[in-house]
Amino acid sequence: MARTVRLSRASAVRGTVASLALLATMSLMGCPRDGSADRPARDDSRSPEGSTAATSGKPSPAAPAPAPAPVARGVPQTVPAVRGYTARNGPGWRPAKGARVVADEKGPLADEARRLAADLRLPFAAAPARPGDVELALRPGQSGGRESYELTTQDRKVLITAPDEAGAFYGTRTVVQAVRTGGGLPEGVVRDGPDRPQRGLNLDVARKHFTGDWIERRLREMADLKLNQLGLHFSDDQGFRIESSSHPEVVSPQHLTKAELRRITDLATALHITVVPEIDSPGHLGAVMNAHPSLQLRDASGTVARGAVDVANPQSARILDDLIREFAPLFPGPWFHLGSDEYRALMARDPQTSYPRLAEVARQKYGPKARVQDLATGWLNDRAAVVRSLGKTPKAWNDGFFTGGVVTPDKSIEVEYWTGKEIGARQPQEYLNEGRTLVNLNDEYLYYVLGQPNQFVYPTGERIYRQWSPAVLRGTVPVPKGPTTPDRIPGGRLAVWCDLAHAQTPDQVASGIRLPLAAVAQRLWDPRVPTLPWVDFTVLAGRVRR
C-alpha cells in the first residue's frame, strides 16, 4: 500500500537547498547529472562536444541508445520446455534500457505485468506498447485452454496473449526463464500450454513443522516451473499444524497461525497455485485423538489402534465435521482432501473378528451383509457430503476405496492413487473402469519419505524424467488399457512425507526435491518423452532458478 508523506514548509526548503548543493558538488566532480554513472557526462569540457556546448551555450543532443545485441536463434530454454516454437528472422528481444512491461493498469493482467516487471527489473507502464516493451493482453477466444499462451517476439517487442490470466502468467515465466538462460527471447512465436491440469507438490506439514516463509519459497519455485497445486497435509498422528478456533485443544505447539496461512494462500493465488487442504481420517488422526482419547479405536482386546478414530462413535463425526467446516473456507481452491488411507481396522487380516463392535454397528446401519469396510465407506461418504455442501470437490487416497460391499464410495470423490502395496489395494485400471479420475502420486517414483523407512528410497529427478509418466500410476508399468487422457488422469504431484521428521532439515528437503520437482513439471507439462539429455536438463534446471 502506498504511503503519503507530508513535509513541512521548512523541511521542503531545507530539502531544496540540500539538493542544489548536491547538484553543484556533482558538477564540480564531473558526475553525470542524470544519475547514469556508467557513461560520461555530456558537459565534460575535455571532450569536443563539451567544448562546443560550453562555448555556444546550447546543450548537445543526446546520442540514441545503441540497439541491444541480437538474441541467438533457437527454442527458448525453459523448464518445462515450451511445446511449440516457430522461428522467424529478426533480432529478438532483450530487456534493454528503456524497456517496459505494458498492460492495462486497471485490467485483469495488471498483477501479472507488475510481477514480471519486478522480476526483470523493468518499469511497469500502461498501454500502448512501443519498441523494446513486453506487452500482456487477454484474448478470450484464443485456442489452447485457460493455461495456454502465445508469445510473439517481433521487431524488438514481445506480446504475450492468453485466454485467461493463468496462461498469461505462464507466458511471463517463459520470458523470465529465457532471460536467465539466453539473455532474452529469439525472434518467433511460442505456442505453449500444459498437458495435465493438476501439477504440483504435496507437503506433509503435520509430522514436521515447516515455516510459512519456507512454504512461500516453495510456492515461488513451483510457479517458475508452471506448477499449479500444493497439497497441504496438516493433520496426522504426530501433529495438527494449523491454528483452530473450533478445536484449539488439538493444535500442536508448533503450527501455522491463520494469519500465516492467509499469507500462504494469498501468495499461492497470486501465483496461480491452488492449495489443497487435507485432514486425514479415519486413520492418521493421532493428534486429534490425543486430545480426545475416548474416541480412539480399540480392538477386541482393548488395545488402541494408533491414530485411528472410532467411526462407530457419533462424537467422532462431530469433531471431524467441525474441523472441515472451519478449514474449508480458509482455502480458496475447489478441493478438500479427506485422506481415508491406512485405517487400522481395515489393515487387520480379519476386521470383523478384530473389531467386532465396528462389525456390529455396520450391520445395524447397513444391513446383515454389511462389514467393517462398509462402515468406513459410509464415513468417507458422509465427510464427502460435508465437503460438497461447502462448495468443494472431495479427494481421497486410493486405499480408502473398496469393492464388494453394500456401500459404494461416492463417485464424486476424486481418487489420488499412491500405492498398490496395502492390503486389498486394487489396480489403477479398476478405478478407471469404474469411470473415476485418478491423480498420480505413485509411491514408486513420487514419494520423498524422510529417513527412507519401509523400503522407501528418495526419488531421483533422473528416474522420473526417464521412466515416469502420468499413466504410470502403480509400480513401473503404465496402465495397460487406459483411458489415460487428461480428463481421466488429470495430473500428479511429488509428495514429501515426514515419517522420520528429523532425518532432514527443511533446507535439505528443499535441496532434495529440487530436481525431482523440475522433472515432474516437465513430464506433466509435455506428454512427449523428453529429448534433452538428463545431464543437460540438470544444468538447465540450475540456470532457470532465481
Side-chain angles (χ1 to χ4, degrees), residues 139-213:
R139 286 183 180 167
Q142 187 168 295
S143 63
R146 62 176 297 272
E147 292 186 297
S148 67
Y149 67 94
E150 289 188 9
L151 193 159
T152 302
T153 305
Q154 186 174 7
D155 299 330
R156 299 194 186 276
K157 288 194 296 187
V158 176
L159 174 63
I160 300 170
T161 60
D164 190 86
E165 295 168 44
F169 176 72
Y170 296 138
T172 69
R173 298 307 89 194
T174 294
V175 173
V176 170
Q177 288 198 18
V179 169
R180 290 173 182 165
T181 59
L185 286 159
E187 200 89 358
V189 180
V190 170
R191 292 181 178 88
D192 199 15
D195 179 50
R196 306 285 159 156
Q198 295 188 42
R199 312 175 303 280
L201 172 68
N202 210 71
L203 183 61
D204 173 11
V205 300
R207 294 181 177 97
K208 183 181 183 67
H209 175 64
F210 292 91
T211 66
D213 287 344

Side-chain angles (χ1 to χ4, degrees), residues 341-342 347 398-399 418-426 474:
D341 62 311
E342 297 182 319
M347 296 172 73
N398 67 285
D399 53 329
W418 72 280
T419 188
K421 299 172 184 174
E422 298 298 322
I423 294 174
R426 296 187 288 147
R474 173 174 173 164

Side-chain angles (χ1 to χ4, degrees), residues 335-359:
W335 296 285
F336 197 105
H337 204 304
L338 295 169
S340 197
D341 62 311
E342 297 182 319
Y343 186 44
R344 293 285 178 178
L346 294 173
M347 296 172 73
R349 293 197 177 276
D350 185 355
Q352 276 58 238
T353 301
S354 297
Y355 297 91
R357 181 171 172 272
L358 293 185

